[in-house]
Amino acid sequence: MQEQTQIIVAENVHKWYGKFHVLKGVDLIVDRGEVVVLMGPSGSGKSTFIRTFNALEDYQEGSIRINGITLSNDLRNIELIRQEVGMVFQQFNLFPHLTILNNVTLAPIWVHKLSKIKAKELAMQLLERVGILEQANKYPGQLSGGQQQRVAIARALAMQPKIMLFDEPTSALDPEMVREVLDVMKNLAREGMTMVIVTHEVGFAREVADRVILMDSGSLVESATPELFFTAPKQERTRKFLSQIL
Amino acid sequence: MTHSKPPLWRDHRFWQIIVQLAAVICAILIVVILGLNLNRNLQQLGIKFGFNFLQQEASFDIGETILSYQPTDTYTRALLVGLINSLRVAIAGIFLTTIVGITAGIARLSDNWLVRNISLVYVEIFRNTPLLLQLFFWYFAVFLSLPNVEHKASVLGLIKFSQNGIELLGLNFSPEFSTLLLGLTFYTASFIAEIVRGGIQSVAKGQWEAGRSLGLKPSLIMRLVVLPQALRVIVPPLTSQYLNLAKNSSLAIAIGYPDIYFVASTTFNQTGKAVEVMLLIMLTYLTFSLIISFLMNLLNHTVQIQEK
Ligand SMILES: Nc1ncnc2c1ncn2[C@@H]1O[C@H](COP(=O)(O)OP(=O)(O)OP(=O)(O)O)[C@@H](O)[C@H]1O
Ligand SMILES: [Mg+2]
């Protein structure tokens, strides 16, 4: 029954880079359909933490279960989990040698073994959803940053993940393009996608997040509804952090 | 606002043309002077310049021919046989060295310690020893010490090695051809491996991460995402490796494989037509080079154009 609601269960996760202790026993449970925003100063381990959810980073102690699958060194599990989890990066990481359409269809064709026609149908549908349909035959280099990031979202969605991870998706964008990307993310949240988002967009967090978490020096400091987090934080550390970004 | 035209002597395009013209005139002058000089020397020695000797009977044997050839054939025929032998080894070499080079380059970046280091040792040894030495190694230490034909060593029954060379799917290759081919292949591939490694490493780490986060296997990421991008960096320096391979094939003479250079040397020894034979050889390798450059430029164009 628990597995039905809890889609990410991270318990006591520790990670070291050599001697450097990046994650110091982090616990986090995310429910299906929940939108969690992760904030914290640079170098606090936010990226490292969410990248353990799709095994882009390994960890040395603790356990992580994604949709009931335990993340271990078992390659089969890693592949299964990566199909459940989509990720959007700060630098978009689109494939520059492929058209927008082929960026989106690549994984469905090669991982889900979709036919080219089916994959194209799916891609067109998703590109329409993120408002990039007309650009389908262009190359990433010909699109603006905001458009590229929307393509990156469509590309991740094409694998029909149950969870979407966002690592500072708007930090590399010109200010006037932040909105279009956040709007796509808002729609996704409204449709019930489980999302873990590293961002410093306070307006977005207040409007969309179910929960906002502060991470500092490899630990989770405070976790609260956006209302409480931004207006009545319990921890001194959170107050200090908010005073720096607000 | 329109710009008034600057006077001619201040127009940089005018000066560019002048400099180029001057260079061309200098080049022509040098060739003419050298030519006249050569002509005078030849006349003093009583030698006539001309290619008539090509129609004479070659009267030497060639060990390995694809075209039918007898000593009673002309020098033209002999040189053609040599040319075809050169082309054969160069084309096969370029094909094989590409495969070996890419494999070794990818292996250099393997997660597997053993694979990575075997490739490293291979690259360092073959890159840092003279090709001539390697040819002698293949010829004397490998082929001539292989079992004789009755006891040939066989890999899966597909490739058979013996003192008589390599037998692959019923095709026979002489020890000389095999030596030259393997020597050129593994020597050049050690350079190509480094080019491929550099090309792969030039692709941003984020491309791997994007591929992994989409659930693609590492081998697929390499094939579909990384290599196509690496090619843009790999192809230009690859051209010069192919050119090197084609030119290095003239070392055939050291192990007695009758390539164009070998046949041409024999022709020169018999006829004394030093200048003519040298011109023919130069022309041959120049043509090789131009063809390779032309094809590689086409390839380069298609790889580079992808992004836009
Ligand atoms: N590959 C690595 N090797 C060693 N240290 C690393 C490595 N990757 C990250 N770190 C360190 O781990 C710490 C956490 O990095 P991480 O990228 O998770 O922080 P972050 O909270 O996402 O910061 P930012 O807001 O700058 O993105 C940093 O101090 C960083 O220098
Ligand atoms: Mg980060």
Side-chain angles (χ1 to χ4, degrees):
Chain A
M1 194 63 217
Q2 238 186 11
E3 291 298 353
Q4 297 296 312
T5 53
Q6 303 183 341
I7 193 164
I8 302 176
V9 181
E11 283 170 341
N12 193 29
V13 176
H14 285 270
K15 180 180 174 69
W16 286 265
Y17 280 122
K19 285 207 170 120
F20 180 57
H21 202 172
V22 210
L23 301 177
K24 301 174 181 163
V26 188
D27 294 295
L28 177 70
I29 291 174
V30 178
D31 287 340
R32 235 169 254 282
E34 199 180 4
V35 177
V36 174
V37 163
L38 200 56
M39 292 187 165
S42 179
S44 57
K46 308 177 296 289
S47 299
T48 308
F49 184 46
I50 68 165
R51 286 157 60 93
T52 59
F53 298 167
N54 63 348
L56 284 187
E57 301 283 352
D58 59 359
Y59 57 95
Q60 280 84 44
E61 274 177 34
S63 79
I64 298 178
R65 256 175 307 141
I66 304 288
N67 202 26
I69 310 167
T70 301
L71 245 182
S72 57
N73 285 329
D74 186 339
L75 286 174
R76 172 104 53 77
N77 276 0
I78 290 181
E79 276 169 28
L80 284 177
I81 282 174
R82 284 191 180 146
Q83 294 178 32
E84 310 271 339
V85 183
M87 185 157 207
V88 174
F89 302 87
Q90 182 174 349
Q91 301 296 341
F92 329 135
N93 294 348
L94 292 179
F95 305 132
H97 62 300
L98 299 178
T99 61
I100 298 308
L101 180 64
N102 290 340
N103 262 274
V104 181
T105 58
L106 188 78
I109 289 174
W110 288 92
V111 181
H112 282 168
K113 313 281 180 211
L114 247 55
S115 69
K116 278 198 176 149
I117 299 169
K118 280 262 160 59
K120 186 176 172 185
E121 262 172 33
L122 171 69
M124 289 311 222
Q125 213 175 309
L126 287 166
L127 287 174
E128 180 162 25
R129 196 158 134 200
V130 299
I132 312 278
L133 195 56
E134 315 78 60
Q135 324 278 357
N137 292 315
K138 290 193 180 165
Y139 285 88
Q142 297 168 298
L143 268 56
S144 73
Q147 290 172 324
Q148 289 191 49
Q149 194 60 300
R150 284 185 281 152
V151 173
I153 294 174
R155 180 177 70 175
L157 290 176
M159 290 301 286
Q160 312 199 293
K162 303 205 171 57
I163 302 166
M164 284 284 284
L165 307 173
F166 294 83
D167 192 357
E168 306 205 34
T170 58
S171 298
L173 297 179
D174 292 338
E176 70 271 19
M177 292 170 185
V178 170
R179 264 282 304 277
E180 64 191 54
V181 172
L182 292 181
D183 283 344
V184 169
M185 290 167 62
K186 263 181 228 170
N187 284 334
L188 206 54
R190 236 174 256 137
E191 289 158 21
M193 177 64 79
T194 308
M195 295 160 76
V196 179
I197 305 162
V198 177
T199 183
H200 293 133
E201 295 290 336
V202 175
F204 173 84
R206 294 188 93 131
E207 189 184 336
V208 181
D210 296 306
R211 197 150 44 111
V212 183
I213 297 174
L214 182 77
M215 186 159 192
D216 190 25
S217 317
S219 307
L220 301 190
V221 175
E222 178 152 10
S223 167
T225 61
E227 183 65 21
L228 285 175
F229 186 91
F230 290 112
T231 55
K234 288 205 181 71
Q235 304 293 327
E236 178 55 33
R237 186 68 198 84
T238 311
R239 276 194 285 277
K240 211 169 132 210
F241 174 75
L242 289 175
S243 73
Q244 280 160 359
I245 65 161
L246 286 175
Chain B
M1 200 181 99
T2 57
H3 290 280
S4 60
K5 236 179 133 186
L8 200 55
W9 62 88
R10 266 178 32 209
D11 187 334
H12 78 104
R13 277 168 306 179
F14 169 74
W15 285 108
Q16 276 175 354
I17 292 170
I18 291 291
V19 168
Q20 295 211 10
L21 267 181
V24 170
I25 291 170
C26 280
I28 292 174
L29 271 180
I30 290 172
V31 170
V32 168
I33 290 170
L34 288 177
L36 289 175
N37 197 19
L38 178 68
N39 199 24
R40 198 176 52 239
N41 287 345
L42 287 175
Q43 270 172 5
Q44 275 171 4
L45 291 167
I47 302 174
K48 271 226 185 69
F49 183 85
F51 288 92
N52 291 336
F53 71 95
L54 287 175
Q55 306 312 318
Q56 295 165 12
E57 186 183 303
S59 62
F60 60 84
D61 202 4
I62 297 181
E64 190 168 353
T65 64
I66 295 276
L67 297 176
S68 71
Y69 171 84
Q70 283 127 32
T72 48
D73 283 327
T74 59
Y75 281 116
T76 311
R77 183 93 182 163
L79 287 166
L80 191 62
V81 167
L83 178 67
I84 286 173
N85 280 341
S86 283
L87 282 176
R88 207 154 70 95
V89 84
I91 291 170
I94 285 175
F95 176 74
L96 279 182
T97 203
T98 308
I99 294 173
V100 176
I102 290 178
T103 310
I106 292 175
R108 282 282 273 115
L109 298 167
S110 167
D111 289 336
N112 184 314
W113 184 91
L114 191 64
V115 171
R116 199 168 59 233
N117 282 283
I118 287 176
S119 178
L120 173 73
V121 170
Y122 155 67
V123 167
E124 291 307 329
I125 289 179
F126 281 76
R127 220 164 47 126
N128 292 310
T129 51
L131 174 56
L132 190 58
L133 198 72
Q134 292 179 28
L135 289 175
F136 287 148
F137 167 78
W138 287 107
Y139 194 58
F140 294 110
V142 179
F143 279 101
L144 295 191
S145 59
L146 279 172
N148 57 25
V149 206
E150 289 87 66
H151 307 96
K152 50 192 160 195
S154 148
V155 182
L156 300 170
L158 292 175
I159 309 179
K160 299 193 176 86
F161 299 94
S162 74
Q163 285 187 1
N164 281 28
I166 298 180
E167 187 189 325
L168 171 69
L169 304 167
L171 290 172
N172 268 307
F173 301 102
S174 73
E176 290 76 23
F177 175 84
S178 307
T179 295
L180 188 60
L181 180 61
L182 291 181
L184 290 172
T185 295
F186 283 97
Y187 176 73
T188 315
S190 66
F191 292 89
I192 293 180
E194 285 299 280
I195 294 171
V196 168
R197 179 174 71 99
I200 291 173
Q201 283 177 326
S202 76
V203 176
K205 212 172 93 241
Q207 296 288 304
W208 284 97
E209 293 181 347
R212 283 157 72 198
S213 74
L214 288 167
L216 290 162
K217 289 199 187 89
S219 56
L220 277 178
I221 302 176
M222 181 63 95
R223 205 175 99 205
L224 302 171
V225 176
V226 175
L227 270 185
Q229 294 182 63
L231 277 184
R232 281 177 285 159
V233 181
I234 291 173
V235 168
L238 203 57
T239 309
S240 61
Q241 291 308 323
Y242 289 169
L243 293 175
N244 281 343
L245 187 144
K247 286 182 285 189
N248 285 338
S249 71
S250 62
L251 284 174
I253 200 166
I255 44 164
Y257 174 71
D259 77 328
I260 178 75
Y261 189 77
F262 185 103
V263 175
S265 306
T266 312
T267 305
F268 156 65
N269 284 335
Q270 295 189 2
T271 61
K273 294 281 183 184
V275 181
E276 293 86 341
V277 169
M278 205 183 67
L279 280 176
L280 280 176
I281 294 179
M282 279 168 57
L283 196 70
T284 308
Y285 285 103
L286 187 65
T287 314
F288 274 16
S289 298
L290 289 177
I291 291 174
I292 292 174
S293 297
F294 174 74
L295 292 177
M296 290 304 280
N297 271 339
L298 285 186
L299 177 62
N300 196 29
H301 188 67
T302 52
V303 210
Q304 306 294 344
I305 207 158
Q306 277 175 347
E307 202 157 319
K308 272 276 148 75

